[in-house]
Amino acid sequence: MNYFYDFGPDGTPAPGYTKVTADDVYNPDKGYGFADCSRVSERRRVEEALTGDFCIPFGATFLADVEDGNYIVRIIAGDACAPASITLSTNGERLVLQEVRTLAGQYAREMFAVNVRGGQLKLSFKGLAPRINALEIMSSAEQITLFLAGDSTVTDSSEDGFPFCGWGQMLPSFFKHDVAVANHAQGGRSSKSFIAEGRLDAIMEELKEGDYLFIQFGHNDQKTDEARHTDPSTTYPEYLLKYIEAARSRNATPVLITSVHRRYFDAAGKLKDTHGAYLEAVRKLAEEEGVTLIDLAEKSRRLFEELGPEGTKSVFLWGAPGEWMNLSGGVQDNTHFQERGGLRIAELVVEGIRENHLQTLIMFLR
């Protein structure tokens, strides 16, 4: 199924498109609309199909009911009379477009990929001057899907989770529409509990030849409860091997990723290693199995030591009382990231993709 929407004031939509006005609030009967219209306005500038009018969705989210799967999404965004600036996130607040800017009379035509689960595509608009003229949602079976299995340092934030951010949430913005990121990472999971809950089985239902499975666990494998704990010398690599075998059974490519470091420094300003033998276990398994390794632990160590104890507060989830509405009492979290941190760690993962010559991903990087 394909879906085409023409945004702006009431009038005749472009042929093949459905008209969406600033007053079109979502309801399940029609299957599309803005989640909240209170911050959406509209303008008509000129009498031109698609580009002549638009909606202005300040901090608004557009919803469209679609079948689960991969989609190529194309937007037209601009204004005949004024500059525009748009940042766009999709389901789970995954960043896909960052500060796309146009001058008066210019129109950005941008394409990106979205992996939809749960039967609904969500587009969240931000930016200094957001515009949306047209939206095309086209089903696609040809894209590479990059699956992520991991914990809270990887996962997507919830809609009300700002400023918390996993690095997997930021990864889509680095790829063209040829690669769809399917982030199955979930907070609190270990390599063991992820499998026990059927999450690897869910990935296997969609995983196909040519896809990738990126695997980063370790934070919760260290926990002592039976449901999550694994031993770095035995059960931890045994569970990781299950992910490798799952990917290979579908002719997909497994990629092991060492755990990103926590924010703990010694008196000399050197980062403390809180993962210990779990890191070496991943490196050893990658060598034994001939699996691509992105050593995110080493990459994040270098980054965090460069930033230092104070600088890393802008990467991790640190904030003073009143700084963030969702964390009004303040927060000092040395494990999880804010959006800036999620983006920096995603950059390190992309660096690892390049270093390991994963060509079918490299060729589709922006």
Side-chain angles (χ1 to χ4, degrees):
M1 287 287 292
N2 298 327
Y3 310 82
F4 301 89
Y5 300 100
D6 179 357
F7 291 79
D10 278 324
T12 303
Y17 288 74
T18 299
K19 194 66 180 178
V20 180
T21 73
D23 297 321
D24 270 318
V25 66
Y26 171 82
N27 73 65
D29 291 333
K30 65 181 181 183
Y32 67 88
F34 290 102
D36 179 359
C37 293
S38 64
R39 301 190 68 188
V40 183
S41 57
E42 60 191 8
R43 295 287 186 276
R44 182 180 300 282
R45 300 297 198 196
V46 293
E47 295 297 327
E48 292 181 4
L50 297 183
T51 57
D53 59 347
F54 51 83
C55 285
I56 306 172
F58 266 109
T61 297
F62 180 77
L63 310 175
D65 293 342
V66 302
E67 296 179 357
D68 286 1
N70 286 350
Y71 290 86
I72 294 174
V73 179
R74 177 176 179 260
I75 68 162
I76 300 176
D79 188 332
C81 300
S85 175
I86 182 173
T87 292
L88 191 61
S89 300
T90 67
N91 301 50
E93 297 300 302
R94 300 173 203 152
L95 182 66
V96 289
L97 297 176
Q98 187 173 28
E99 292 188 10
V100 175
R101 301 188 179 207
T102 60
L103 300 176
Q106 290 184 332
Y107 298 91
R109 290 170 169 82
E110 297 284 346
M111 297 174 68
F112 52 88
V114 180
N115 175 264
V116 174
R117 302 198 304 276
Q120 192 174 72
L121 175 66
K122 303 176 183 179
L123 297 177
S124 299
F125 294 86
K126 300 177 184 176
L128 297 175
R131 304 286 190 269
I132 179 68
N133 306 74
L135 170 66
E136 301 170 357
I137 307 168
M138 297 160 286
S139 179
S140 175
E142 303 301 320
Q143 293 152 304
I144 296 169
T145 306
L146 197 171
F147 291 88
L148 303 178
D151 51 39
S152 58
T153 63
V154 187
T155 194
D156 292 337
S157 171
S158 63
E159 292 181 26
D160 59 355
F162 178 84
F164 166 74
C165 179
W167 62 256
Q169 182 177 328
M170 294 299 183
L171 198 59
S173 64
F174 291 90
F175 289 100
K176 300 175 184 176
H177 64 275
D178 309 87
V179 175
V181 176
N183 193 356
H184 286 249
Q186 193 73 20
R189 273 56 177 188
S190 70
S191 63
K192 178 182 179 181
S193 64
F194 191 94
I195 290 175
E197 294 174 1
R199 298 180 185 277
L200 180 57
D201 290 337
I203 291 174
M204 290 290 288
E205 290 177 5
E206 302 176 28
L207 193 65
K208 66 183 186 303
E209 184 175 356
D211 288 344
Y212 286 81
L213 176 57
F214 282 23
I215 308 143
Q216 186 217 276
F217 290 101
H219 280 80
N220 298 302
D221 288 76
Q222 296 177 286
K223 302 294 175 63
T224 58
D225 58 287
E226 177 62 25
R228 293 184 290 179
H229 179 72
T230 62
D231 184 282
S233 62
T234 56
T235 50
Y236 180 53
E238 289 169 7
Y239 274 104
L240 291 179
L241 185 58
K242 294 178 185 292
Y243 295 84
I244 295 170
E245 292 172 341
R248 286 173 169 170
S249 73
R250 296 289 193 270
N251 291 320
T253 301
V255 175
L256 287 171
I257 302 178
T258 52
S259 293
V260 61
H261 274 297
R262 299 180 176 96
R263 182 192 166 277
Y264 291 102
F265 290 86
D266 63 21
K270 297 297 183 181
L271 200 71
K272 294 181 180 179
D273 178 6
T274 63
H275 295 294
Y278 288 90
L279 301 181
E280 286 306 316
V282 180
R283 294 167 182 146
K284 180 181 178 183
L285 180 63
E287 183 176 0
E288 291 175 347
E289 291 295 321
V291 173
T292 296
L293 173 71
I294 295 177
D295 198 344
L296 192 56
E298 177 59 21
K299 290 181 178 297
S300 62
R301 181 194 66 77
R302 292 198 297 264
L303 172 64
F304 298 161
E305 289 187 348
E306 177 183 339
L307 294 173
E310 285 302 313
T312 46
K313 291 178 181 178
S314 67
V315 172
F316 283 84
L317 200 52
W318 272 64
E323 188 170 346
W324 291 313
M325 183 174 64
N326 292 333
L327 298 165
S328 58
V331 62
Q332 296 182 3
D333 186 332
N334 292 316
T335 298
H336 302 104
F337 307 111
Q338 54 179 289
E339 285 191 355
R340 182 172 182 266
L343 189 60
R344 292 297 301 272
I345 303 304
E347 289 173 351
L348 297 181
V349 173
V350 171
E351 181 181 87
I353 289 171
R354 293 187 184 277
E355 290 171 349
N356 282 285
H357 308 292
L358 301 178
Q359 292 299 335
T360 55
L361 291 179
I362 292 171
M363 65 191 296
F364 297 125
L365 287 169
R366 289 185 183 272

